[in-house]
């Protein structure tokens, strides 16, 4: 049984919906266990993530990087980092902002570097970019065209109902990919 | 006011905004003549219960502690329930107080009369252009269908946007915590906003989209026929309790605002000036806050009406506009619901609570950890 932890922060529920979509995508892969962990809570005891085979990190993009609360979680993991306690786990990332770019790539880069410092192995999104042709639409998977992880964009004057289904399916696709990679790695006995 | 003359104030409309302003004005200037004109006889009004969140009630307290004591003396609720196809998700969103609308009005009128306000019932609740000069200040507080606003519409330049959902405000003799009840049915999505406001009664406001409204033929039914159909549609939730009418016709939300708030010595407040939405349960509070802002602005101007009214608009408008924007988001959310598939109770609960953008996810999660844990762990 592969075990995946989705660690997330959320300001007004959009990134929470994205986190849930990652979870739903992962759990659809047989033999996968998934739990979501809220960043401010798991920051108090990050060792509860030690048993996970993969960690998927998600945070809103605020002011061009991850939220302060998510950073609190990152720093709370420093004792584990010192012992390289999470070394060899798989990792992936996702983020949401109201801006279509919102400089979200910087957040994914931040999450990737965080995983690298922990000695983890990064799993990208694995989808070509969508909505880049005249025949395309924003209903296509990966409509924001990210490779490093899953991006979403939500209008600042709407709640969760304003989340694009394509962004949630993109997040689910990331969750599914991580779950399949976990199954591969575990199957290889690594 | 000039030359030590008595301040003369006419308030058109004896609803919450008008009565509350009359009371505050009379207390601020005890020598003033303050008269309220109300078209209905005493004790006659539409609707059932009105809600105040604890923060809304406390915001009114400094202006009139006795009124807030009266409106917090009745029913109170600590949690609300989001119910989807019979599955209930209880959530903590802060305390709320409910009163029958007529109880609130009776209390406001009693306290206003004790302060020396004159309340005239069965009155022609309007004011003519010629009559404006008889008063130092005229306050149009005659509700969403304000005749005062319509009479001077050219000046106030109101804009109205009708909602696409249809609502009917019923009562039910059953104890409901504040609830949003959703039922998927063959006719489309059925919604109800229910909340107990007295030992015997709850509000039960039914809301449906245009398509469902047409499919069920509500447009051709009498008020009584609609009531009976709604009673049957929500039979599972009502569990044997009937629905009751109190002037409960179908209505569409009217989202109203005015380009200008004043005309000479005439000012609009409450629903006459701008509306919110029954769904955010704040229309009465919104209207009463207008009364507080207006009194404060006038007092700050030494009851110089011209200066005071300008100050009222300057101070109140940004706050009111932000509140209306939140109401608009709430309306949009409800109007979007019938076109979507809502099948997951916890997702629905979270979506409902995040709909106005005024509740932070972190705060909500801290207060409702168990509910969110369900959202986080039960992923299938």
């Amino acid at each position: 049984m592969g075990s995946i932890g989705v660690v997330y922060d959320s300001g007004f529920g959009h990134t929470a919906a994205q986190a849930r979509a990652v979870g739903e995508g992962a759990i659809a892969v047989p033999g996968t266990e998934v739990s979501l962990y809220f960043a401010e809570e798991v920051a108090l005891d990050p060792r509860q993530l030690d048993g996970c085979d993969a960690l998927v990190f998600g945070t809103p993009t605020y002011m061009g990087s991850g939220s302060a609360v998510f950073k609190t979680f990152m720093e709370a993991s420093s004792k584990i980092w010192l012992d390289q306690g999470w070394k060899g786990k798989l990792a992936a990332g996702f983020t949401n902002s109201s801006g279509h770019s919102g400089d979200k790539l910087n957040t994914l880069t931040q999450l990737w570097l965080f995983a690298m410092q922990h000695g983890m192995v990064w799993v990208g999104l694995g989808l070509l970019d969508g909505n880049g042709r005249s025949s395309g639409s924003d209903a296509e998977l990966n409509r924001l065209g990210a490779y490093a992880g899953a991006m979403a964009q939500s209008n600042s004057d709407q709640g969760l109902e304003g989340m694009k289904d394509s962004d949630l399916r993109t997040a689910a696709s990331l969750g599914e990919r991580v779950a399949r990679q976990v199954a591969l790695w575990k199957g290889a006995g690594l | 006011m000039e030359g030590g003359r008595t301040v003369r104030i006419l308030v058109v409309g004896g609803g919450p905004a008008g009565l509350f302003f009359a009371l505050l004005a009379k207390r601020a200037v005890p020598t003033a003549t303050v008269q309220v004109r109300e078209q209905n006889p005493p004790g006659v009004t539409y609707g059932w219960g009105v809600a105040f969140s604890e923060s809304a009630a406390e915001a009114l307290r400094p202006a009139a502690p006795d009124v807030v004591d009266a409106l917090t003396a009745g029913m109170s609720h600590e949690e609300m329930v989001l119910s989807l196809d019979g599955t209930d998700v209880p959530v903590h969103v802060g305390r709320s107080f409910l009163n029958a609308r007529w109880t609130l009005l009776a209390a406001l009128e009693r306290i206003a009369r004790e302060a020396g306000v004159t309340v005239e019932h069965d009155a022609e609740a309007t004011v003519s252009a010629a009559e404006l000069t008889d008063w130092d200040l005229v306050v149009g507080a005659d509700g969403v269908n304000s005749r005062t606003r319509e009479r001077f519409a050219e000046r106030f330049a109101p804009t109205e946007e009708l909602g696409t959902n249809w609502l009917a405000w019923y009562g039910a003799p059953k104890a409901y915590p504040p609830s949003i009840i959703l039922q998927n049915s063959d006719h489309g999505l059925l919604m109800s906003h229910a909340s107990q406001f007295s030992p015997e009664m709850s509000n039960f406001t039914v809301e449906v989209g245009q398509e469902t409204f047409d499919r069920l033929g509500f447009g051709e039914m009498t008020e009584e026929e609609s009531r009976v159909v709604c009673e049957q549609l929500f039979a599972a939730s009502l569990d044997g309790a009937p629905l009751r009418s109190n002037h409960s016709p179908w209505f569409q939300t009217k989202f109203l605002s005015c380009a200008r708030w004043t005309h000479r010595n005439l000012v609009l407040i409450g629903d006459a000036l701008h509306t919110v939405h029954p769904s955010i349960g704040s229309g009465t509070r919104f209207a009463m806050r207008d009364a507080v802002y207006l009194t404060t602005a006038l007092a700050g101007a030494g009851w110089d009406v011209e200066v005071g009214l300008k100050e009222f608009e300057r101070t109140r408008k940004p706050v009111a506009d932000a509140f209306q924007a939140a109401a608009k988001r709430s309306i949009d959310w409800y109007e979007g619901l019938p076109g979507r598939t809502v099948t997951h109770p916890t997702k629905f609960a979270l979506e409902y609570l995040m709909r106005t953008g005024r509740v932070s996810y972190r705060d909500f999660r801290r207060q409702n950890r168990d509910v969110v844990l369900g959202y986080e762990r039960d992923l299938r």
Side-chain angles (χ1 to χ4, degrees), chain B residues 10-206:
Chain B
L10 173 66
V11 179
V12 182
L19 286 171
F20 197 50
F21 173 73
L23 166 68
L24 297 179
K26 182 67 185 169
R27 281 194 178 154
V29 190
T31 56
T33 300
V34 184
Q35 191 180 327
V36 178
R37 279 184 194 164
E38 167 56 38
Q39 61 177 3
N40 284 327
V44 175
T45 186
Y46 65 91
W48 298 93
V50 290
F52 289 86
S53 66
E54 186 160 41
S55 61
E58 289 313 310
L60 294 172
R61 187 175 288 282
D66 49 350
V67 170
V68 176
D69 285 342
L71 70 84
T72 53
M75 210 55 157
S76 76
H77 299 280
E78 297 292 340
E79 66 177 27
M80 77 174 291
V81 170
L82 300 158
S83 173
L84 176 63
D85 292 327
T87 303
D88 290 352
V89 181
V91 292
H92 292 277
V93 287
R95 201 165 187 209
S96 64
F97 301 99
L98 276 104
N99 291 278
R101 201 166 178 279
W102 53 88
T103 308
L104 171 72
L105 288 175
L108 273 172
E109 182 165 337
R110 176 181 52 77
I111 297 169
R113 279 182 192 277
E114 282 166 9
V117 172
T118 315
V119 183
E120 196 188 344
H121 281 278
D122 303 300
E124 176 82 1
T126 179
V127 65
S128 66
E131 221 184 342
L132 287 181
T133 52
D134 298 345
W135 303 89
D136 294 305
L137 171 66
V138 179
V139 178
D142 45 351
V144 66
N145 298 314
S146 170
R147 287 159 68 191
T148 310
R149 183 188 66 236
E150 291 319 309
R151 175 158 290 174
F152 302 99
E154 223 164 277
R155 170 65 198 172
F156 292 119
T159 47
E160 286 181 10
E161 203 182 311
L162 271 191
T164 59
N165 282 357
W166 289 89
L167 294 88
W169 191 0
Y170 300 113
K174 188 192 163 186
Y176 278 102
S179 309
I180 308 293
I181 301 160
L182 256 62
Q183 274 178 219
N184 288 294
S185 81
D186 296 342
H187 315 286
L189 187 67
L190 309 169
M191 303 179 254
S192 167
H193 317 251
S195 51
Q196 187 183 9
F197 64 85
S198 79
E200 301 81 28
M201 290 295 290
S202 291
N203 287 306
F204 199 93
T205 304
V206 176

Side-chain angles (χ1 to χ4, degrees), chain B residues 112-349:
Chain B
R113 279 182 192 277
E114 282 166 9
V117 172
T118 315
V119 183
E120 196 188 344
H121 281 278
D122 303 300
E124 176 82 1
T126 179
V127 65
S128 66
E131 221 184 342
L132 287 181
T133 52
D134 298 345
W135 303 89
D136 294 305
L137 171 66
V138 179
V139 178
D142 45 351
V144 66
N145 298 314
S146 170
R147 287 159 68 191
T148 310
R149 183 188 66 236
E150 291 319 309
R151 175 158 290 174
F152 302 99
E154 223 164 277
R155 170 65 198 172
F156 292 119
T159 47
E160 286 181 10
E161 203 182 311
L162 271 191
T164 59
N165 282 357
W166 289 89
L167 294 88
W169 191 0
Y170 300 113
K174 188 192 163 186
Y176 278 102
S179 309
I180 308 293
I181 301 160
L182 256 62
Q183 274 178 219
N184 288 294
S185 81
D186 296 342
H187 315 286
L189 187 67
L190 309 169
M191 303 179 254
S192 167
H193 317 251
S195 51
Q196 187 183 9
F197 64 85
S198 79
E200 301 81 28
M201 290 295 290
S202 291
N203 287 306
F204 199 93
T205 304
V206 176
E207 179 166 358
V208 294
Q210 182 73 54
E211 213 172 296
T212 302
F213 186 83
D214 292 340
R215 219 177 283 168
L216 286 160
F218 283 136
E220 287 77 49
M221 288 185 200
T222 63
E223 201 177 306
E224 175 58 13
E225 286 166 343
S226 288
R227 185 197 64 77
V228 171
V229 171
C230 286
E231 198 174 271
Q232 289 160 355
L233 291 171
F234 284 98
S237 171
L238 288 165
D239 195 21
L243 284 183
R244 293 197 182 138
S245 289
N246 180 21
H247 310 285
S248 308
W250 287 106
F251 67 95
Q252 286 163 295
T253 317
K254 197 184 271 186
F255 193 72
L256 180 135
S257 52
C258 291
R260 278 178 291 272
W261 289 21
T262 60
H263 170 58
R264 287 189 266 166
N265 60 333
L266 169 64
V267 61
L268 300 177
I269 61 170
D271 279 353
L273 174 65
H274 45 203
T275 56
V276 283
H277 186 250
S279 70
I280 60 170
S282 304
T284 310
R285 165 257 285 256
F286 189 56
M288 289 171 76
R289 291 285 286 168
D290 281 350
V292 175
Y293 272 81
L294 178 56
T295 318
T296 307
L298 286 162
W303 290 82
D304 178 322
V305 168
E306 194 181 334
V307 176
L309 293 189
K310 276 196 188 122
E311 184 62 7
F312 169 57
E313 190 167 342
R314 191 187 68 78
T315 53
R316 178 60 172 149
K317 199 164 190 308
V319 187
D321 286 354
F323 203 71
Q324 261 195 318
K328 188 76 181 64
R329 282 181 62 160
S330 186
I331 294 171
D332 290 346
W333 185 77
Y334 279 104
E335 295 189 342
L337 272 183
R340 297 176 31 229
T341 316
V342 187
T343 52
H344 193 290
T346 321
K347 274 188 182 177
F348 158 60

